[in-house]
Amino acid sequence: MSLSHIANGLHGDHSGCLAVREVLNRVGDKWSALVIVMLEQGPKRFSELRRGIEGISQRMLTLTVRGLERDGLVTRTVTPSIPPRVDYALTPLGQALLVPVLALVQWARENRAAMQLARETFDTVVNFDTAGDPAG
């Protein structure tokens, strides 16, 4: 599929745009991609996910895995025990999403410094240009 074909699909019937927006809303939030990447190696318990994702609260992790489960990307398996054991794993759909997510992770690692430099350059130019402009 060519880039022009993708662009025509996005600008034509809008269903392509909606599909992209829905997927990006799911994987582009603060935590979903991290959960997906953590599940690359296989099923994980809730506590393993929480320990492995720095800064995520229990509530936010709960909401994230529920959203991923709702979208068919993750399965939740409860094993009856005391306390109950809950494992999360990628579904085949989640496995398929792992490929572009890992590519995005790699791209981010390779390009983060360049983006930061671009931001700093932009901010310097914009601040310089608008220093005397009260509306700026």
Side-chain angles (χ1 to χ4, degrees):
M1 181 179 297
S2 70
L3 289 177
S4 62
H5 180 76
I6 293 169
N8 288 337
L10 293 178
H11 298 298
D13 65 6
H14 299 290
S15 64
C17 189
L18 178 62
V20 169
R21 187 173 67 234
E22 285 180 2
V23 171
L24 288 178
N25 282 342
R26 167 56 48 218
V27 299
D29 69 19
K30 188 171 182 178
W31 305 111
S32 292
L34 295 173
V35 170
I36 291 167
V37 170
M38 281 208 57
L39 293 174
E40 175 189 18
Q41 300 300 316
K44 298 267 188 282
R45 295 181 77 169
F46 185 90
S47 58
E48 291 177 284
L49 290 171
R50 182 142 184 238
R51 279 193 306 269
I53 302 174
E54 185 178 333
I56 194 167
S57 68
Q58 181 170 334
R59 172 154 171 72
M60 204 62 237
L61 180 55
T62 298
L63 292 173
T64 300
V65 293
R66 279 187 188 160
L68 292 168
E69 184 179 13
R70 180 175 182 252
D71 288 343
L73 301 170
V74 167
T75 58
R76 178 179 185 267
T77 304
V78 179
T79 304
S81 62
I82 299 176
R85 179 185 172 118
V86 179
D87 290 291
Y88 295 90
L90 292 175
T91 64
L93 187 61
Q95 288 284 343
L97 181 60
L98 188 58
V99 173
V101 166
L102 289 174
L104 180 60
V105 167
Q106 183 62 35
W107 185 91
R109 285 181 180 144
E110 292 170 359
N111 293 285
R112 181 175 182 229
M115 287 182 66
Q116 184 61 39
L117 180 60
R119 281 188 201 125
E120 291 168 5
T121 301
F122 178 87
D123 291 347
T124 300
V125 169
V126 169
N127 287 336
F128 179 76
D129 288 346
T130 61
D133 180 6

